[in-house]
Amino acid sequence: MNQKRSSPVEVLIQLFIIFICVYIAYKFTQTHDIIPKSIIRLPDIYISENDIWHLSIIFTTIFAIVLIPSQLILGRGVFYKPQRFASEYMAYLCAYTTASLYIFFVTTINYHPQLIAATGLFSTIAYVLVFVGWYAIKETDRSKFSSLYLVPYSILRKLFSVKGILILIYFLSPLLLGKAFVSDRDTANLITQIRIWFNPVEDSGWGLKRLYANVDLSQPMLVRQAPNDPKNLYILERNGRIIKLNYPESDQVDLVLDATGLLGEVEMENGALGFDFHPEFNQPDSQNAGFLYLYYTESRGDTQVNKLSRFDVSSPDINARLRSETTILSLPRNPDGFHNGGSIEFGPDGFLYIGLGEGVHPKGASNYSETLRSGILRIDLNTDNTHTSYSPREPFIHGIRQNYLIPQDNPFVENSEVMDEYWAIGLRNPFRFTFDPETKKLWAGDVGSTVWEEVNIIEKGKHYQFPFIEGRHSTGKEKPEKLPAPEQGPVYTYEHTAYDRAVIGGTVYRGNKFPELFGKYVFADNYSAKIFLLNTDKREVTEAKLIAQGSQYAQRGISSVVQLNNGDILVTLLGAASHPTGEVLSLVKSDQKIIQQADHTTDNQVIESETREYDENLTRQLFSINCSRCHGREGRGDGPDAELLDVKLPDFTSEDFQSTRTDNEIRDVIAKGGAPLQKSPMMPPWGGFLKQSEIDHLTIYTRNLGKANEHHTH
């Protein structure tokens, strides 16, 4: 009897086969289906290359755990003869299925049935081809080589044994579970709970304490302390009001500025977005003692203008404060309302830094040499400072710029391709940035499109790669051979989930109150209301630590993360657009959560009762805030992110859509998202964020979009 030991080379070949086949399957399933939709209709699932790396390691590790012992027990090499290969293939099926189930239940990677099936198919083909080649090299006897037909015969014979049938049932279980996961919500919830059990979030030791529980806040965007005023907190509301409250406790609201009449319609991403005080605010001997600067949108009908204005709030007359408005920038733009940027911050050099989104430009004018957009500006508001700064060069035909100078050391002063005001370019929608008080580095969150969010250190004269690269991946848009500035990649990126998809820049903590946070970057995500910590000692970081989460989500979530002079870290939660449910929260150790911000039973009951009756205007606002980025302002499937989704969005105004969907089908898609209903997973489930009445009202609103179009066409 010709006994042979298993060769280590054969083991390595098998592990290499499975490792490389996972990547081949990934590339193949990006454009092709292994499982025809006529057999089982499965949704498109997003899998990143980083996920593929982890999947390859998981498959290879589990194969090693299963196959190496099986070969030691059998004692002869897998490629020894056809019957032996058939036995080894049974072990292969067990290893493949075990790896698939491990990915499905234990990891947080999106389960991709097409990818798993393709991995099985390609690795099987590779196994057979390698066996044939190996057998042909080693077997010189042609009569034995002709016995290769025994391979399929031996495999089928083993599959139709009792042991083989059990292995086959086990082999099919991941596919059946994958189908149940995307088609049955109860199964999906059960599997999600199992995943959570295997992937618990450790208690971070941090929580959020609600401040000003007795004060109604209408979508607070940002909180600040004024220079030389440590006892008060200033809160900017999205509607254009700035109020002052004693810190940390007060029920007495002092209205500092009411600019609500300047804003017009506040929807989509419009509104009062950022403000800051002049560094000499509250200095009696300074002419700047009463100056604050406000960035806001003025949206009226089919026109929108983004503005930066100065207000003198030293007058005791609230109307006089409003009349003191002095325009700094007035930038007309297309009226879709998205990607405004809006953060402003005085730097340690005394100059004002302004974040502008890529949407801030009129139609047909988007070059850096002709308009201001998609970057960070740096301007000098001291108009007497002519020895180090100079007046903006004319002409400027796409708006108004006045009452400021340009520092002579701005990086693009001699660059004909970029206007002199720019400090950095190539950003999509920088939202919330701040200077590290120790290193003076400028840290920013850059809100991404459909896949990636970024945290960046903004450096002088750099190009941050938008629109050619987001995260660290190409968007498919062609990059010019020569850019007007050297490229700079992000410090940290994270991929979108259904809920993590809108980064809010935070602060590098330099206070004494929380030594464990010192030197960490504290930032958040608007949609999930999660708060994260990021190490700042490396140029690129791959992981952030989740430490806390707010109780309101989606575009009711976090809008700012700020450090106060005393070392406190404050967070603003927007709350509902139609009701004053906004909050100011303080990051605290878990045992200090005296007033738990998640406890809003009374408020939520009030909101539920008030919104039970359908209100067209309120629901239109709800649609604009949460849906129009993809589906468009009028529901035609033409939102600013639509072309980036790789899926054709429905036109809600069309007769085809309205005649082929029932109310229940529309409601289910809104509540459950796309994946459980065998549609695109890029449609997130809103059932966990919106109230049932709001989902019902969005269903009515979606249906009425078709009626509005019908009325218009007739």
Side-chain angles (χ1 to χ4, degrees):
M1 186 173 180
N2 186 15
Q3 293 283 345
K4 291 187 178 182
R5 290 188 176 184
S6 178
S7 167
V9 175
E10 294 178 1
V11 175
L12 292 175
I13 289 175
Q14 292 181 80
L15 297 182
F16 177 75
I17 287 173
I18 191 65
F19 185 88
I20 197 68
C21 281
V22 174
Y23 189 77
I24 294 172
Y26 166 66
K27 288 297 185 181
F28 184 86
T29 53
Q30 286 187 309
T31 54
H32 300 83
D33 290 334
I34 289 292
I35 305 169
K37 285 184 168 56
S38 58
I39 298 177
I40 300 179
R41 184 174 180 83
L42 296 168
D44 296 326
I45 304 294
Y46 175 74
I47 296 287
S48 70
E49 294 206 18
N50 186 54
D51 289 337
I52 290 302
W53 171 250
H54 286 100
L55 290 176
S56 299
I57 292 175
I58 290 169
F59 267 106
T60 305
T61 301
I62 292 178
F63 265 66
I65 292 172
V66 174
L67 297 183
I68 291 176
S70 74
Q71 293 192 24
L72 291 174
I73 293 170
L74 292 172
R76 287 183 286 186
V78 60
F79 304 127
Y80 173 55
K81 61 181 182 179
Q83 293 87 342
R84 172 65 181 85
F85 177 76
S87 296
E88 189 68 20
Y89 188 71
M90 295 297 103
Y92 156 85
L93 289 179
C94 290
Y96 166 82
T97 307
T98 301
S100 301
L101 291 174
Y102 179 87
I103 293 164
F104 192 61
F105 285 111
V106 178
T107 74
T108 57
I109 300 171
N110 286 331
Y111 189 74
H112 194 325
Q114 296 283 5
L115 172 63
I116 299 298
T119 299
L121 176 62
F122 292 146
S123 57
T124 294
I125 293 172
Y127 252 70
V128 172
L129 291 177
V130 170
F131 169 73
V132 171
W134 188 281
Y135 195 67
I137 292 171
K138 295 179 65 176
E139 191 55 67
T140 57
D141 187 338
R142 295 294 94 188
S143 62
K144 290 185 177 181
F145 186 70
S146 64
S147 65
L148 280 174
Y149 76 92
L150 291 174
V151 172
Y153 170 76
S154 299
I155 292 175
L156 289 173
R157 183 177 177 182
K158 289 183 179 295
L159 281 176
F160 284 101
S161 66
V162 174
K163 180 180 177 181
I165 291 174
L166 292 175
I167 290 175
L168 186 61
I169 293 172
Y170 183 55
F171 166 73
L172 292 175
S173 62
L175 180 62
L176 298 175
L177 283 169
K179 170 61 177 174
F181 181 78
V182 299
S183 60
D184 182 75
R185 193 62 181 171
D186 292 335
T187 302
N189 288 336
L190 176 61
I191 292 171
T192 300
Q193 289 302 315
I194 294 173
R195 282 185 160 191
I196 291 173
W197 186 82
F198 276 111
N199 298 274
V201 177
E202 296 182 4
D203 183 7
S204 67
W206 295 92
L208 294 168
K209 172 184 172 182
R210 187 182 180 192
L211 306 178
Y212 308 120
N214 297 322
V215 177
D216 291 336
L217 296 174
S218 180
Q219 294 202 292
M221 294 294 295
L222 179 64
V223 295
R224 287 194 184 277
Q225 285 182 308
N228 307 307
D229 186 8
K231 295 183 179 180
N232 291 306
L233 192 69
Y234 294 78
I235 304 173
L236 171 66
E237 295 180 319
R238 190 180 175 204
N239 59 18
R241 294 199 323 158
I242 298 177
I243 62 174
K244 180 172 70 173
L245 294 160
N246 289 337
Y247 182 77
E249 296 180 1
S250 176
D251 294 338
Q252 183 65 40
V253 176
D254 182 6
L255 182 60
V256 177
L257 182 69
D258 186 356
T260 54
L262 302 179
L263 274 62
E265 192 171 20
V266 177
E267 59 176 3
M268 273 77 78
E269 296 174 0
N270 293 334
L273 302 176
F275 81 110
D276 201 4
F277 296 96
H278 194 282
E280 297 173 2
F281 191 84
N282 280 334
Q283 292 185 13
D285 57 345
S286 172
Q287 62 179 359
N288 302 309
F291 290 169
L292 67 78
Y293 296 82
L294 176 67
Y295 182 100
Y296 67 93
T297 64
E298 182 181 5
S299 180
R300 304 181 191 277
D302 293 331
T303 63
Q304 180 174 323
V305 180
N306 285 28
K307 292 186 175 182
L308 172 67
S309 291
R310 184 187 73 207
F311 294 87
D312 187 346
V313 296
S314 60
S315 172
D317 182 353
I318 190 69
N319 294 319
R321 297 175 189 176
L322 183 63
R323 291 194 300 269
S324 73
E325 180 180 17
T326 300
T327 299
I328 308 297
L329 291 172
S330 180
L331 305 174
R333 57 157 293 171
N334 62 77
D336 66 27
F338 293 101
H339 317 156
N340 295 301
S343 298
I344 61 175
E345 184 100 8
F346 278 94
D349 52 12
F351 299 135
L352 185 68
Y353 291 73
I354 307 157
L356 297 179
E358 54 93 17
V360 186
H361 64 93
K363 188 174 182 179
S366 60
N367 293 331
Y368 289 118
S369 61
E370 61 179 341
T371 192
L372 300 171
R373 63 180 291 265
S374 193
I376 306 290
L377 312 183
R378 178 184 184 241
I379 62 174
D380 185 353
L381 292 168
N382 183 357
T383 54
D384 295 329
N385 199 15
T386 54
H387 59 288
T388 58
S389 302
Y390 61 91
S391 298
R393 296 189 175 96
E394 298 298 340
F396 181 62
I397 62 174
H398 299 299
I400 298 171
R401 50 179 189 163
Q402 60 189 20
N403 299 309
Y404 70 87
L405 303 177
I406 297 174
Q408 293 177 4
D409 62 347
N410 268 12
F412 298 103
V413 167
E414 301 297 331
N415 191 327
S416 62
E417 297 181 65
V418 184
M419 290 179 63
D420 296 352
E421 284 89 340
Y422 283 103
W423 182 253
I425 59 177
L427 294 161
R428 182 179 182 271
N429 194 31
F431 199 75
R432 299 294 174 249
F433 53 76
T434 189
F435 287 89
D436 180 344
E438 183 173 294
T439 66
K440 313 305 180 188
K441 292 180 179 178
L442 180 59
W443 288 75
D446 192 19
V447 180
S449 182
T450 58
V451 179
W452 295 102
E453 301 296 305
E454 295 184 2
V455 172
N456 289 286
I457 296 176
I458 305 299
E459 297 179 357
K460 178 180 180 178
K462 294 294 182 68
H463 190 301
Y464 286 82
Q465 303 178 313
F466 181 83
F468 321 110
I469 295 175
E470 282 196 280
R472 297 187 176 94
H473 302 264
S474 171
T475 62
K477 294 189 177 182
E478 186 178 354
K479 183 193 299 185
E481 291 186 9
K482 183 180 179 181
L483 292 175
E487 296 180 60
Q488 180 65 64
V491 175
Y492 174 69
T493 69
Y494 64 92
E495 294 176 79
H496 285 194
T497 66
Y499 308 131
D500 294 324
R501 52 179 179 149
V503 67
I504 299 295
T507 180
V508 179
Y509 187 74
R510 297 296 180 184
N512 297 321
K513 189 170 185 176
F514 304 121
E516 57 269 64
L517 299 184
F518 191 84
K520 308 287 188 184
Y521 184 61
V522 188
F523 70 102
D525 186 276
N526 167 253
Y527 266 73
S528 66
K530 293 176 182 176
I531 301 171
F532 301 93
L533 286 184
L534 194 69
N535 289 330
T536 61
D537 55 353
K538 296 181 180 178
R539 188 59 191 80
E540 290 188 6
V541 184
T542 57
E543 293 184 0
K545 180 182 179 182
L546 171 64
I547 61 168
Q549 185 172 21
S551 62
Q552 301 189 61
Y553 314 99
Q555 291 199 354
R556 295 177 177 178
I558 292 175
S559 53
S560 70
V561 180
V562 175
Q563 179 189 330
L564 302 186
N565 296 331
N566 67 351
D568 285 346
I569 293 178
L570 300 190
V571 174
T572 52
L573 275 180
L574 283 170
S578 56
H579 302 273
T581 61
E583 299 174 86
V584 177
L585 310 171
S586 178
L587 184 67
V588 295
K589 302 297 289 185
S590 293
D591 58 0
Q592 296 176 320
K593 292 187 290 185
I594 299 170
I595 303 176
Q596 175 54 267
Q597 49 84 34
D599 184 11
H600 285 296
T601 304
T602 303
D603 289 344
N604 288 341
Q605 288 174 346
V606 172
I607 294 169
E608 186 71 28
S609 65
E610 289 180 351
T611 59
R612 189 164 292 143
E613 295 298 324
Y614 177 71
D615 185 303
E616 181 82 16
N617 289 329
L618 291 180
T619 309
R620 178 175 55 79
Q621 292 179 29
L622 192 66
F623 182 90
S624 296
I625 291 172
N626 295 298
C627 310
S628 59
R629 270 183 60 178
C630 297
H631 292 288
R633 191 171 188 172
E634 298 178 354
R636 299 182 184 275
D638 57 356
D641 288 348
E643 64 180 28
L644 304 171
L645 295 176
D646 293 327
V647 61
K648 183 174 175 58
L649 294 176
D651 180 355
F652 298 151
T653 69
S654 70
E655 182 181 355
D656 176 67
F657 175 86
Q658 296 291 340
S659 63
T660 57
R661 272 80 164 182
T662 66
D663 289 352
N664 285 336
E665 287 173 334
I666 295 172
R667 186 181 296 107
D668 281 349
V669 171
I670 297 171
K672 299 177 181 179
L677 302 174
Q678 302 179 28
K679 301 180 184 297
S680 171
M682 298 303 289
M683 170 64 187
W686 291 99
F689 286 165
L690 301 179
K691 300 183 183 306
Q692 184 58 52
S693 62
E694 292 174 319
I695 293 173
D696 292 341
H697 295 169
L698 283 173
T699 302
I700 297 171
Y701 184 81
T702 303
R703 185 63 83 195
N704 287 347
L705 287 172
K707 295 178 181 178
N709 184 62
E710 180 180 326
H711 176 75
H712 178 73
T713 55
H714 286 80

